[in-house]
Amino acid sequence: MSLINTTYDVIVVGGGHAGSEAAAAAANMGAHTLLITMNLQNIAQMSCNPAMGGIAKGQIVREIDALGGYSAIVTDKTAIQFKMLNKSKGPAMWSPRAQSDRMQFAEAWRTMLEQTDNLDFYQDSVNGLLFDGNKIIGVKTVLGLEIKSKTVVVTAGTFLNGLIHIGDKSFGGGRAGEGASRGITEDLVAKGFESGRMKTGTPPRVDGRSLDYSKMTEQPGDEYTEKFSYLPITKKLTKQRSCWLTYTNPKVHDLLREGFERSPMFNGRIKSTGPRYCPSVEDKVNRFATKERHQIFVEPEGWTTCEMYVNGFSTSLPEDIQDKAIRSIEGFENVKFFRYGYAIEYDYFPPTQLTHSLETKLIKNLFFAGQINGTTGYEEAAAQGLMAGVNAALKVQEKDAFILKRNEAYIGVLIDDLITKGTEEPYRMFTSRAEYRTLLRQDNADLRLTPKAFELGLASKERMDRVLMKQEKTDLLINFLKETSVKKEEINPILESKNLALVNQSMKLFKIAARPQLSFSDFKNIQKLSVFIEEQNIDSEIIEQAEIHLKYSGYIEKEKNNADKLNRLENVTIPSKFDYQKVKSLSYEAREKLSKIQPTSISQASRISGVSPSDISVLLVYMGR
């Protein structure tokens, strides 16, 4: 079958995290899919730090897995360290994070994609898009091919007119050693799209053999490791590699300041906005001038390589300044560089130009995912890629779009934030962005999302059966705790060991287990419970679900009620292309913002910056409520 004479269901442009998840999702939905990327050796390359997950990001990876995506499985297969962050806080804040072997990660991704039915690959650079009026019909490549498709998902990462900066040097590129992509931005702007520029950066990579770890603090993984994927095909780590912690100091800061005049960040050569929550080291020194030190994490790039990632030292300063400054960090006195840090500027398209399905408003059947939408981070990109891939496939199948609400997933929060509020700086997910984070925990992503993915045909029957079993056994354990009484003679020794008030009568296990000072591990010697757990083959995952339910059921119920109230406004739809200018009772700012974003519901309209509660009241009256 000739590439040129084939009309694909879905073409995915770009093979990063967004493109890989998009291609896998579309193909698994039954769509004949083509993944076009500049270099097939760099599929799902970890361009920046070799890690997945973290605060809120770990929840996203779990959600991707629950929906049938590949990121969690690949992370588990290639992990070299695992940590559950925020374990001292409530379960809504628990966030898994894993260091990965960079080379194994890309290899595992490619292997999984090559084993995916309905997915073809082609190595070339897309330099243009094919349109038929306001509909996309394919792509053009540097080699002159025109490849037709019913839908196109653009996941170009940092490659759109990418420009790399090191000191006073600048050159075109999408990342170190790879060229920029030209032509797509120009085609889209000609069609009426608004574009902008953003910046991100990366730190030096150094030779671990040249570092003195005796001057650093070891950062090992968790003693009892977990994993990302809910499937049993991946295993928990039994051995791990440590990271290391050291700090900058006033001498380092003084040496960095020597390069400020030659820094593209300060001399005006970089005009775009960088990530607020992951600033370069020179930006930190400049903005927090009174702070005497900043953390530097030394992270291994894999099991066997000596290459180390210097997390916290992202920079675009000249090479000589990078060299001098880093040698003044404890443990780096004799450092050898593998490569210097750099900044990169690239094109993005403000995401208010998209619908909730990630389809563009201006061009039908064209979807955007990843950094093209103004986000930063592998996890945010992968989530968008999965959703764009699913919705491209559904569009071909003439089915309704798959949209997640804010109370259903962090992915829903991410996409709603982007298309409703837009972003003028690289968007990063945090738990604080989710108003229903007690509902959106990392432990229950499968219970929330796998049934939806199974209906789509994206999650396997095996995955769905495991979710049903998890729910069934959780309910079974909760009911046992509610119905089973234990004598005070069994309870009081436990309470006494915790310096808690004793009881003077038998009590239901449910009531005792709900106490915040106690955990399930405290009840291991209560015979009725231990026998029940063994007989019913209840594992630690089920126990965790039950314990969270016991301790936080009040908070969870309250959030569910709040979500239900707001979801009623989701059902108050606004006609497409509604003329807000004729509603004179609306404020001028509200008319302007609503006309630009064209929300699909009253609920979405209420989240637009500049639209006040009184404007929402006016709309509700106008819509007949």
Side-chain angles (χ1 to χ4, degrees):
M1 183 169 56
S2 168
L3 188 73
I4 303 167
N5 298 324
T6 301
T7 298
Y8 282 92
D9 291 327
V10 181
I11 287 178
V12 178
V13 179
H17 291 74
S20 296
E21 286 288 7
N28 284 325
M29 293 273 293
H32 188 198
T33 305
L34 176 67
L35 174 61
I36 305 179
T37 183
M38 288 181 176
N39 189 341
L40 287 169
Q41 308 308 315
N42 292 338
I43 281 178
Q45 172 88 298
M46 293 180 123
S47 307
C48 204
N49 65 319
M52 288 289 280
I55 307 300
K57 292 168 176 277
Q59 283 88 327
I60 288 176
V61 178
R62 281 270 165 96
E63 290 178 352
I64 292 169
D65 185 66
L67 288 166
Y70 290 177
S71 288
I73 296 170
V74 172
T75 301
D76 287 346
K77 285 183 174 181
T78 61
I80 64 174
Q81 187 193 88
F82 185 94
K83 279 189 174 183
M84 185 66 76
L85 307 180
N86 282 341
K87 197 72 177 178
S88 61
K89 300 180 181 178
M93 304 299 287
W94 299 349
S95 301
R97 184 182 189 270
Q99 294 287 133
S100 275
D101 184 302
R102 184 190 298 277
M103 289 183 284
Q104 286 184 11
F105 188 91
E107 181 185 10
W109 250 112
R110 177 161 174 173
T111 300
M112 286 193 72
L113 288 173
E114 288 184 356
Q115 292 170 352
T116 301
D117 293 337
N118 305 314
L119 181 56
D120 295 340
F121 302 87
Y122 177 56
Q123 181 170 298
D124 199 349
S125 179
V126 171
N127 67 346
L129 303 172
L130 301 173
F131 304 101
D132 179 8
N134 69 337
K135 186 168 76 170
I136 191 118
I137 58 169
V139 301
K140 296 180 288 187
T141 76
V142 167
L143 290 179
L145 274 67
E146 293 193 351
I147 309 172
K148 299 295 176 64
S149 182
K150 296 171 187 173
T151 61
V152 173
V153 182
V154 180
T155 69
T158 59
F159 283 78
L160 292 182
N161 294 318
L163 186 64
I164 292 173
H165 298 275
I166 303 178
D168 45 17
K169 305 179 189 73
S170 299
F171 49 91
R175 61 183 164 218
E178 296 180 70
S181 172
R182 309 193 188 284
I184 293 177
T185 296
E186 293 72 14
D187 279 359
L188 291 170
V189 169
K191 281 289 184 179
F193 282 86
E194 176 192 348
S195 73
R197 297 282 278 175
M198 280 190 177
K199 174 199 92 80
T200 189
T202 193
R205 312 302 199 269
V206 301
D207 188 335
R209 297 168 300 181
S210 64
L211 304 180
D212 185 351
Y213 299 103
S214 68
K215 296 181 178 179
M216 305 180 194
T217 306
E218 187 173 6
Q219 303 283 298
D222 287 349
E223 183 180 356
Y224 302 105
T225 60
E226 297 183 43
K227 62 194 190 80
F228 271 102
S229 181
Y230 292 99
L231 291 178
I233 58 171
T234 64
K235 305 300 178 189
K236 297 177 181 179
L237 284 173
T238 55
K239 63 173 184 172
Q240 301 184 73
R241 279 202 73 177
S242 289
C243 298
W244 302 83
L245 172 66
T246 183
Y247 296 90
T248 62
N249 54 60
K251 183 181 178 184
V252 174
H253 299 175
D254 288 341
L255 290 168
L256 290 169
R257 289 187 186 97
E258 287 181 16
F260 279 10
E261 287 184 7
R262 296 158 60 202
S263 165
M265 274 194 61
F266 298 128
N267 64 17
R269 289 216 334 278
I270 291 179
K271 297 180 174 65
S272 48
T273 309
R276 177 188 300 265
Y277 301 102
C278 190
S280 65
V281 68
E282 59 264 37
D283 196 21
K284 285 189 280 191
V285 168
N286 185 52
R287 282 164 53 192
F288 308 108
T290 57
K291 197 165 183 179
E292 293 198 343
R293 67 178 194 172
H294 298 281
Q295 289 181 327
I296 300 292
F297 288 96
V298 182
E299 301 175 346
E301 297 262 337
W303 284 115
T304 56
T305 181
C306 63
E307 187 174 355
M308 293 285 178
Y309 179 89
V310 190
N311 196 342
F313 205 85
S314 176
T315 182
S316 57
L317 286 167
E319 300 95 312
D320 58 315
I321 299 295
Q322 291 189 39
D323 199 283
K324 278 195 300 185
I326 206 167
R327 287 179 190 279
S328 294
I329 296 174
E330 284 205 32
F332 279 79
E333 293 83 358
N334 299 305
V335 67
K336 294 180 180 177
F337 280 77
F338 272 20
R339 63 179 165 98
Y340 292 101
Y342 62 87
I344 181 167
E345 288 186 287
Y346 55 93
D347 293 339
Y348 86 105
F349 290 81
T352 50
Q353 299 171 101
L354 303 174
T355 67
H356 272 97
S357 68
L358 298 180
E359 184 179 14
T360 67
K361 294 173 182 174
L362 282 174
I363 301 295
K364 291 178 182 174
N365 302 341
L366 174 63
F367 298 77
F368 291 167
Q371 283 174 288
I372 191 172
N373 290 337
T375 60
T376 180
Y378 307 143
E379 303 83 2
E380 290 88 343
Q384 293 169 72
L386 182 142
M387 296 299 285
V390 167
N391 282 314
L394 289 172
K395 195 75 189 274
V396 172
Q397 295 162 6
E398 298 182 349
K399 295 178 181 176
D400 291 341
F402 176 56
I403 293 164
L404 292 169
K405 296 175 184 173
R406 296 181 72 91
N407 65 307
E408 292 177 324
Y410 271 93
I411 296 173
V413 175
L414 166 68
I415 293 173
D416 186 65
D417 275 358
L418 290 173
I419 72 156
T420 302
K421 301 173 184 174
T423 186
E424 294 177 355
E425 60 184 47
Y427 177 103
R428 177 181 179 178
M429 181 52 74
F430 291 102
T431 50
S432 58
R433 296 193 192 272
E435 57 271 54
Y436 306 116
R437 55 185 174 272
T438 307
L439 303 180
L440 310 182
R441 306 184 309 276
Q442 55 83 32
D443 60 88
N444 71 350
D446 54 343
L447 300 174
R448 289 184 278 121
L449 300 176
T450 296
K452 296 177 185 294
F454 184 67
E455 282 182 32
L456 287 170
L458 196 57
S460 65
K461 186 175 185 303
E462 178 206 1
R463 192 183 277 277
M464 187 63 209
D465 287 344
R466 289 185 63 82
V467 169
L468 293 173
M469 180 67 74
K470 178 177 177 178
Q471 187 65 66
E472 185 182 312
K473 288 197 172 184
T474 301
D475 293 342
L476 195 67
L477 178 55
I478 290 169
N479 288 334
F480 175 82
L481 295 168
K482 286 181 175 179
E483 294 166 3
T484 304
S485 294
V486 284
K487 296 176 181 177
K488 64 179 183 179
E489 289 81 8
E490 291 181 277
I491 301 169
N492 281 336
I494 298 169
L495 299 177
E496 194 172 7
S497 70
K498 299 283 184 179
N499 293 319
L500 299 173
L502 305 183
V503 298
N504 55 15
Q505 61 184 23
S506 297
M507 294 188 81
K508 296 291 187 189
L509 261 173
F510 185 91
K511 196 168 182 181
I512 293 292
R515 292 194 180 190
Q517 306 94 331
L518 300 173
S519 69
F520 250 69
S521 59
D522 297 318
F523 308 128
K524 60 188 175 188
N525 293 326
I526 293 179
Q527 190 176 11
K528 287 180 185 175
L529 181 59
S530 59
V531 168
F532 179 81
I533 285 172
E534 188 174 346
E535 285 179 349
Q536 298 297 329
N537 194 26
I538 288 172
D539 61 22
S540 58
E541 189 179 13
I542 307 299
I543 291 171
E544 182 181 73
Q545 283 297 298
E547 189 165 14
I548 289 169
H549 177 83
L550 293 179
K551 288 180 165 51
Y552 299 94
S553 56
Y555 299 103
I556 291 168
E557 205 54 43
K558 187 177 178 182
E559 277 199 3
K560 279 182 180 173
N561 291 335
N562 289 339
D564 288 343
K565 287 176 188 174
L566 280 175
N567 280 338
R568 287 175 207 144
L569 292 180
E570 290 286 358
N571 297 325
V572 184
T573 57
I574 301 173
S576 61
K577 298 183 180 175
F578 181 78
D579 184 5
Y580 293 95
Q581 300 304 324
K582 67 184 181 186
V583 188
K584 300 302 180 186
S585 305
L586 290 172
S587 69
Y588 177 81
E589 184 180 5
R591 275 180 277 161
E592 183 184 335
K593 295 281 182 68
L594 291 163
S595 298
K596 179 181 179 183
I597 292 169
Q598 287 289 320
T600 56
S601 69
I602 295 291
S603 181
Q604 187 192 354
S606 71
R607 295 189 291 272
I608 297 171
S609 174
V611 177
S612 69
S614 61
D615 292 320
I616 295 302
S617 297
V618 169
L619 282 177
L620 280 169
V621 171
Y622 202 88
M623 298 298 160
R625 290 291 289 265

